[in-house]
Amino acid sequence: MNKYMIYLNTKRCIGCHGCEIHCKANKKLPFGAILCEIDHEPLVSIKGVPKTEFSFRSCYQCDDPYCASICPTQAISKREDGIVLVDEEKCIGCMACAGACPWGVPQLNQEKNKMVKCDFCVDRVDIGLKPVCVTKCTTQALRFVTLTRF
Amino acid sequence: MKKNVYSMCGMCTVRCPIRVEVEDNEVVWLEGNPYLLGGALCAKGSAGTALVKDDERPQQPLIREGGRGAGRWRKASWSEAFDYVTEKLKKIKQEYGPESLVVSSRGGPWQGMYKTFCHAFGSPNYTNHDSTCGRNTHHASLSVNGVGRKGFVYDIKNSKHLVLFGRNMFASLRIAENLQTMDMLQKGGRLTYVDVRQTMTGLKATRFFQVRPGTDYALTLSFIHEIVKRQLYDNVFIEKYVTDFEQLCTFIEEYTPAWAAKECGVKEKSILAFIDEVAEDMPQVIFHPGWMLSRYKDSFYASRALHILNVLMGNIEIKGGLIMPKGPGDCGKPGIRNFDCPKPDIKRADGVGWKYKHFDKGPGLQHLFFDAMRTGKPYPVKAWIAMRHDPFTAMPDPQAQKLAFDNCDLLVSIDTHYSEFGWYCDVILPESMYLERDNPVCVQKGPKPRLAVRRKAVEPVYDTRPGWEIFKELADRLDLQDYFPHSTIEDIWAWQLEPTGLTIDDFQEKGFVELTDEVIMYDRDSLDGKIKTPSGKIEIISSKLTDAGLESLKPYISPPKPPKGQFRLVFGRSAVHTHGHTINNILLYELMPENTLWINTRVASKLNVKEGEIVDVIAADGFKQRIKAHVTDFIHPECVFTVHGFGRQVPLQSRAYHAGMSDQKLMVGMLDNWDRAGGGMNLCESFVTVRRSARNPKRRVEL
Ligand code: SF4
Ligand code: SF4
Ligand code: SF4
Ligand code: SF4
C-alpha cells in the first residue's frame, strides 16, 4: 500500500501555478516537461459568486503501474513505500510509458532524452523533508500526507 | 560546500524574503524565508533560477549605434559606458543646467540612492512610476489621514471582513498578505470582492459585486450612505478625531443603495445584506483603499471614500484593522543611515510643488515631464536615467512618449533585462539580477519593524554590476563622490548600521533583524500627532484640496457608456507574470506565453467571435493589434480585459517578441489623461473597437 499522498486543500489554492514551477525549477527541467498540474472546472455561480474547484495532479503512484509493466527495459519500479520511480540509467526514452499511463503522466526530458515523472521528491522525502511543491506552495494549500492503515 | 544565503526575491517589487542554497556558484535551492513565509514562494519567485541563466538579457554595457530603437548596439566596457554617460551629462549640465536631468525609478526601499544621485547632480527632478500605480491611493490617504498609502498596514489576519475593490490580491501576489488572508478566511472571515470581472481573488470571496466599469465610487458612496443611515459608525472615534462629519452626512443623503444598485448594475438587496454583515463584523472590517488605482477619472475619490469607510468603522490602530507602521524610533532604537542629499532649491519640471501644490513633492508626477520635454517649459528636460523603470510599458501611448523623449540628448536605462524603453535608449547599463547582487540594508516598517538586506547568492554570470556600484561609478566621474564615498558594499553596510550597533553578520541567521519582540500599538485614545493633516484631525473636507480649488466630497458623475461597437479597455495582472519584466522568462513563458482578450459571451456572439479565435483590437487612431479571444460570462459586457505586459517588441527577447497584445499601445492620446485631484493617470478611460480578425482563415492554399 502507498505510504504517502499529496492532498490539495482547494479552499486555500489560488490557482497560481507556483507548484508547477517550484517542481520544474527544483528538478531543472527543460521547456516542455511538467510533473504536476493545477486545473480547475469552468466557473459556476454559487449564491452570486462565480466559483470553481481546483485540482492538483501529479503521479498517482499506482498500485499496479501501467507505466512500469509496459516499459521494455524495466526502468520503472515501485518502492516499498509505494513511490513509482524511473531509473534513468535504464530508460531509453521510448516513452511507451506515457502512452500506457491513462493520464499521460510520464514526460520526456528533451535535454537528456529520458523519461521524467513525479517521484514525490524522493530525495527529499528520504531525508525527512517534504516534496518541493508542498514546501513552497504559495498559500500552503498542499499537504504531504502519510497514510496510516486502520 | 553548500552555502546558505538569506536574501530578498526580486522577481516582483514585493521583495519577499527568501532563503537560497548555493553549491559551486549554482542555486540549488530557493524558498520563501522559513522564519517569515514557511517556505512559500510564488511561480515567479521560483523562476528566478531561470533568469540567472537567461542569455536573452543584456550581458555587458551597450551603446547605441544606429537610430533610437533600431537595435544596433556597440558592446562597450563598463569604463567606456560610464565615461560616455558622464561626458554627455556634463555637456548637458553646462548647456541647459543640472535641472535638465530626470532620474526615474520604480520606487522601493533603495530609491534614496537614486534620489541622492539626482539631487547631488543638481536636479530636483527625481520621479518614480507611481503616477501609473498608487498615486491616487496615496494622495487620497494623505488628504483624509495626513499620511500616505504606506501610512497603514492592514492586519488582515485578525480582521473579520476584508473588502477589496478591484484589488486582485491572488494575482498581484504578496505572499505574506496572501497567507494572512487565507488564514482569515479559514477562520470563517468574510471577503467581499468588487470588480468588473471575476478573478482568482473573487473566487475566494463570500460576496461578489460585478459592477459596471467606472462605477466603484458609486458603490462606495452607497455603503457610506447606509452606514450613516443606520448609525453604525464609531461615534466616539469620530467625535474625537474627525472633522466635518456633518457635511459627509448631508452629502451622502442622495446616494442610496437603490440608486447605486441601478448605477453599478448590482442588486440593492445585496448591498443591504453586505451592510448587515458589516454591522456584525465591525470594527474588524477592512476596506482596502486600493493599490494600483490609476484607473478611472474618479478613482481618487473612490479611494477617499474607502478611507472614509475605514474611519467610520473606527478600525484605525486596532487589532484586525488599519495599523500605523512603526519604525526603529518606536522601538526606542536608532535608525540606520541612508544615502541622502537635500533637494536643490529649483522648481520641479513637472510642476509639482509650485504649479500643483497639493501633491506629494517626493517623486512628483512622472507623466508631467513630457510637457516639459515637448515645450521646454518651465525649462528643457534633456537627459533621462531610468533605473529599473520602463516608461514605455508603464505609461500609455509609447509612440507619443517617443516624440517627447526625442527632445532629450541622453536616455539611459539601468536594468536587469531589456525594457522596451531600454531598447530605445542611447545606453543600457545592465544591472546584475537580484540573485547576483547585494543591496544596502533597508528598514521594513510595520507593527513589528525589522531591518532586512539583499545578499548576493551567486557571482554574476555576465558582465553586469549591482545598482549601488553603477551609481557610485557615475558619481565618481561627476565629482559627486562626497555623496557616494564607499567603494564596497561592506563599507556601505558598516556605515549604515553603525548607529544601531549591529553588523551585517547579525543578518546571517535569519536574513533580517527584528527591532522588537512584541507588536507595538499606539494608544488609541491619544493618536494626536499621528494624524498629519493640517488640522491634526482626520479631514472629511481636506483643507489642502480646498486650497487647490478642489472638492473633497465630489458629486458622482456617471461614466460614459462606450460608443457602439466599442469597449472600455481594462487591464490587470496574472499570478505568473510581473508586468513586462517576466514575459521572456522561459519557465514563466511556458506557463503563460501570451495574453488573451476577455470578452463577454453575449457580446462575443454578436461579433461572431468564438473562444480562442483571433480578434483585431483597434485603437482610437486606427492602430491595431491582434489577440486570441477568451469568451466568458464573467466579465462586464461594457469592457474587455487583458493581462498587462505583453506585446513586447524587443527582438532579442525571442520568446516575448510580439507575443500577445500590449494594452498601453492601444491607449492612444491618453498621455495627457490624468486626474488633477489625485495625480494618477486614468488608464482605464480608453475605448477600443473589437472585431473578428481576418486572421481566422477559412481556407488555406499551400503552393
Ligand atoms: S502553488 Fe499552491 S496555491 Fe498555487 S496553484 Fe499550486 S497548490 Fe494552488
Ligand atoms: S505514471 Fe501513470 S501509470 Fe505510472 S504510476 Fe504514475 S499515474 Fe500510474
Ligand atoms: S512531489 Fe516533487 S516531483 Fe512530484 S510534483 Fe511535487 S515537486 Fe514535482
Ligand atoms: S510575490 Fe513572488 S515574485 Fe514577488 S517577491 Fe514574492 S516570491 Fe518574489
Side-chain angles (χ1 to χ4, degrees):
Chain A
M1 202 196 95
N2 286 1
K3 189 170 162 200
Y4 307 109
M5 69 173 278
I6 293 175
Y7 161 79
L8 176 69
N9 179 351
T10 65
K11 284 216 171 87
R12 281 187 85 99
C13 176
I14 54 167
C16 71
H17 302 273
C19 42
E20 299 173 11
I21 300 299
H22 302 327
C23 172
K24 280 199 72 153
N26 177 57
K27 288 220 179 339
K28 300 195 172 18
L29 296 181
F31 195 83
I34 186 149
L35 305 196
C36 60
E37 264 178 89
I38 283 286
D39 205 352
H40 68 81
E41 296 292 308
L43 271 53
V44 276
S45 210
I46 297 168
K47 287 197 210 149
V49 186
K51 292 266 180 192
T52 184
E53 285 284 298
F54 289 99
S55 60
F56 171 90
R57 206 205 54 208
S58 55
C59 165
Y60 296 101
Q61 323 288 351
C62 303
D63 282 344
D64 193 2
Y66 304 94
C67 56
S69 46
I70 202 161
C71 176
T73 63
Q74 274 104 50
I76 305 172
S77 59
K78 192 171 170 73
R79 295 205 321 181
E80 188 93 323
D81 60 9
I83 297 176
V84 177
L85 279 176
V86 58
D87 179 347
E88 270 196 9
E89 301 268 290
K90 288 191 193 160
C91 174
I92 54 169
C94 70
M95 296 311 287
C97 48
C101 167
W103 305 278
V105 162
Q107 304 276 304
L108 179 66
N109 179 337
Q110 296 206 9
E111 264 170 15
K112 293 183 169 173
N113 199 35
K114 301 278 177 189
M115 185 275 262
V116 57
K117 67 178 266 306
C118 166
D119 57 4
F120 277 2
C121 294
V122 78
D123 50 330
R124 289 175 60 83
V125 171
D126 284 349
I127 54 169
L129 296 170
K130 289 179 195 145
V132 174
C133 52
V134 174
T135 306
K136 291 170 69 177
C137 165
T138 311
T139 59
Q140 295 159 354
L142 287 170
R143 284 229 301 267
F144 191 55
V145 188
T146 305
L147 303 168
T148 39
R149 210 188 285 261
F150 288 102
Chain B
M1 241 264 299
K2 237 188 227 174
K3 193 171 73 168
N4 196 21
V5 185
Y6 285 99
S7 188
M8 281 182 203
C9 181
M11 292 297 283
C12 82
T13 44
V14 173
R15 303 181 189 84
C16 291
I18 54 173
R19 189 181 76 86
V20 193
E21 284 176 21
V22 181
E23 215 172 344
D24 299 331
N25 201 35
E26 279 236 17
V27 175
V28 291
W29 178 250
L30 178 65
E31 67 177 348
N33 187 325
Y35 296 104
L36 297 169
L37 298 176
L41 212 60
C42 80
K44 294 165 288 173
S46 271
T49 51
L51 181 60
V52 183
K53 299 268 168 60
D54 187 359
D55 61 0
E56 296 192 355
R57 59 178 169 127
Q59 302 182 12
Q60 69 284 303
L62 296 169
I63 299 176
R64 179 172 63 83
E65 290 222 301
R68 277 191 180 150
R72 284 174 53 210
W73 298 102
R74 173 162 58 87
K75 294 179 183 171
S77 69
W78 276 97
S79 64
E80 195 185 350
F82 285 139
D83 288 345
Y84 183 95
V85 171
T86 48
E87 284 315 310
K88 284 245 174 181
L89 281 175
K90 280 182 197 159
K91 206 164 149 253
I92 291 167
K93 191 182 210 165
Q94 212 168 30
E95 222 170 302
Y96 301 99
E99 66 277 16
S100 58
L101 167 70
V102 174
V103 176
S104 73
S105 86
R106 275 197 47 111
W110 300 293
Q111 58 180 328
M113 187 160 67
Y114 328 138
K115 206 193 257 182
T116 298
F117 177 82
C118 184
H119 292 175
F121 184 78
S123 171
N125 295 315
Y126 170 75
T127 191
N128 67 20
H129 88 297
D130 211 41
S131 69
T132 53
C133 187
R135 268 304 95 166
N136 280 334
T137 319
H138 180 69
H139 286 135
S141 185
L142 273 174
S143 72
V144 177
N145 307 303
V147 293
R149 74 162 166 160
K150 297 198 174 135
F152 295 109
V153 289
Y154 314 122
D155 185 15
I156 296 172
K157 189 176 183 145
N158 296 308
S159 70
K160 293 186 186 152
H161 197 154
L162 175 63
V163 187
L164 300 172
F165 273 73
R167 169 87 188 117
N168 185 7
M169 62 151 60
F170 291 132
S172 306
L173 302 172
R174 296 161 63 83
I175 296 178
E177 186 178 85
N178 300 143
L179 289 170
Q180 281 200 34
T181 309
M182 276 303 159
D183 291 347
M184 180 274 275
L185 289 173
Q186 213 162 337
K187 276 191 299 192
R190 291 183 173 119
L191 174 65
T192 293
Y193 188 70
V194 183
D195 206 335
V196 297
R197 65 178 188 116
Q198 179 56 311
T199 65
M200 282 301 164
T201 312
L203 285 177
K204 301 293 169 196
T206 45
R207 181 176 295 283
F208 174 57
F209 290 106
Q210 181 173 296
V211 293
R212 179 162 97 82
T215 62
D216 292 354
Y217 185 38
L219 196 61
T220 58
L221 291 177
S222 75
F223 290 173
I224 299 177
H225 173 103
E226 197 60 19
I227 288 167
V228 167
K229 189 178 130 195
R230 297 195 204 175
Q231 297 188 351
L232 293 175
Y233 47 82
D234 180 343
N235 212 14
V236 179
F237 184 80
I238 290 173
E239 289 206 338
K240 198 163 163 62
Y241 294 118
V242 182
T243 61
D244 313 306
F245 180 62
E246 293 309 314
Q247 292 191 46
L248 176 70
C249 298
T250 320
F251 167 75
I252 215 72
E253 249 166 54
E254 62 184 288
Y255 301 114
T256 62
W259 163 82
K262 206 158 155 238
E263 176 62 22
C264 306
V266 302
K267 292 197 181 96
E268 183 192 1
K269 72 172 199 289
S270 302
I271 299 179
L272 298 175
F274 167 72
I275 301 295
D276 292 344
E277 290 173 1
V278 167
E280 271 174 37
D281 300 336
M282 68 179 290
Q284 285 88 4
V285 183
I286 297 176
F287 287 86
H288 195 297
W291 186 270
M292 188 290 186
L293 270 190
S294 295
R295 295 194 177 270
Y296 304 105
K297 284 200 177 96
D298 56 9
S299 288
F300 168 71
Y301 287 99
S303 184
R304 272 182 55 84
L306 290 163
H307 274 294
I308 290 172
L309 281 160
N310 284 318
V311 172
L312 298 182
M313 295 295 103
N315 65 9
I316 290 168
E317 206 61 8
I318 63 163
K319 205 175 161 191
L322 271 55
I323 300 180
M324 296 176 180
K326 317 298 180 314
D330 297 299
C331 310
K333 300 214 166 123
I336 57 168
R337 286 198 192 109
N338 259 321
F339 292 93
D340 196 20
C341 172
K343 187 190 253 178
D345 191 17
I346 306 173
K347 286 177 177 178
R348 289 182 63 99
D350 58 4
V352 174
W354 55 280
K355 194 167 166 194
Y356 306 108
K357 287 197 184 136
H358 61 296
F359 296 134
D360 181 353
K361 282 188 294 243
L365 295 172
Q366 192 226 320
H367 55 277
L368 296 183
F369 285 107
F370 291 113
D371 236 14
M373 283 184 220
R374 286 185 291 231
T375 62
K377 288 194 180 88
Y379 48 79
V381 165
K382 287 290 171 182
W384 191 294
I385 298 178
M387 172 65 191
R388 242 172 29 80
H389 177 221
D390 186 357
F392 290 174
T393 303
M395 319 266 306
D397 205 348
Q399 224 40 40
Q401 291 183 54
K402 283 178 190 169
L403 290 176
F405 275 119
D406 281 346
N407 294 304
C408 290
D409 296 340
L410 178 68
L411 304 177
V412 179
S413 162
I414 305 171
D415 216 327
T416 55
H417 65 284
Y418 294 109
S419 71
E420 298 255 292
F421 178 72
W423 195 249
Y424 197 73
C425 279
D426 307 322
V427 182
I428 296 178
L429 300 177
E431 197 188 13
S432 308
M433 52 81 69
Y434 68 97
L435 292 166
E436 299 171 329
R437 69 170 191 258
D438 295 301
N439 278 66
V441 178
C442 56
V443 180
Q444 295 181 333
K445 287 189 169 187
K448 275 180 89 178
R450 51 178 181 252
L451 303 178
V453 65
R454 175 179 284 147
R455 301 292 300 265
K456 174 162 64 173
V458 292
E459 291 304 318
V461 175
Y462 304 112
D463 189 11
T464 57
R465 301 265 181 109
W468 67 266
E469 197 178 317
I470 295 174
F471 279 97
K472 153 90 184 145
E473 292 277 350
L474 291 174
D476 275 356
R477 285 168 171 78
L478 293 164
D479 299 321
L480 310 174
Q481 49 273 72
D482 285 357
Y483 298 94
F484 295 86
H486 318 283
S487 42
T488 64
I489 190 73
E490 288 77 14
D491 287 351
I492 295 178
W493 288 331
W495 167 77
Q496 284 191 288
L497 289 171
E498 202 200 282
T500 65
L502 297 164
T503 73
I504 197 66
D505 293 336
D506 294 314
F507 293 78
Q508 205 76 22
E509 196 193 326
K510 294 178 174 175
F512 58 91
V513 173
E514 233 145 12
L515 298 176
T516 163
D517 298 330
E518 296 289 317
V519 167
I520 300 177
M521 298 288 276
Y522 294 138
D523 177 4
R524 205 163 157 280
D525 293 328
S526 54
L527 288 176
D528 300 314
K530 304 284 188 266
I531 303 158
K532 301 207 166 68
T533 55
S535 64
K537 301 265 179 210
I538 292 170
E539 295 183 353
I540 300 285
I541 307 291
S542 156
S543 48
K544 269 200 173 172
L545 288 177
T546 312
D547 291 347
L550 294 159
E551 291 160 304
S552 289
L553 297 168
K554 194 176 88 71
Y556 178 77
I557 299 169
S558 185
K561 283 202 162 79
K564 200 170 179 308
Q566 293 190 23
F567 303 89
R568 194 181 280 266
L569 179 61
V570 176
F571 61 91
R573 291 278 299 269
S574 136
V576 306
H577 278 302
T578 308
H579 312 300
H581 302 208
T582 57
I583 310 290
N584 203 51
N585 181 297
I586 191 159
L587 283 171
L588 300 173
Y589 170 82
E590 186 176 10
L591 273 184
M592 188 180 185
E594 56 186 20
N595 52 358
T596 57
L597 189 79
W598 285 43
I599 184 162
N600 179 276
T601 312
R602 220 159 11 96
V603 174
S605 98
K606 273 196 208 140
L607 296 173
N608 192 23
V609 170
K610 294 186 193 64
E611 172 70 19
E613 285 186 333
I614 300 168
V615 289
D616 296 335
V617 186
I618 307 162
D621 70 341
F623 173 69
K624 182 168 48 175
Q625 291 187 83
R626 295 185 192 89
I627 186 171
K628 281 188 191 134
H630 171 51
V631 178
T632 168
D633 292 345
F634 303 103
I635 181 166
H636 197 278
E638 275 184 24
C639 63
V640 287
F641 164 86
T642 196
V643 171
H644 178 71
F646 286 86
R648 297 175 65 74
Q649 285 173 293
V650 176
L652 289 184
Q653 295 185 324
S654 65
R655 296 173 285 272
Y657 189 52
H658 282 301
M661 181 191 88
S662 141
D663 54 273
Q664 77 274 12
K665 288 175 190 154
L666 290 161
M667 297 177 190
V668 176
M670 295 295 288
L671 212 46
D672 301 315
N673 199 327
W674 64 283
D675 181 354
R676 268 48 178 188
M681 304 214 64
N682 303 329
L683 297 174
C684 292
E685 295 285 2
S686 68
F687 296 95
V688 291
T689 306
V690 178
R691 67 172 185 217
R692 194 170 188 280
S693 175
R695 287 275 177 113
N696 297 296
K698 255 192 167 161
R699 321 172 44 207
R700 175 179 277 128
V701 179
E702 305 273 358
L703 284 177

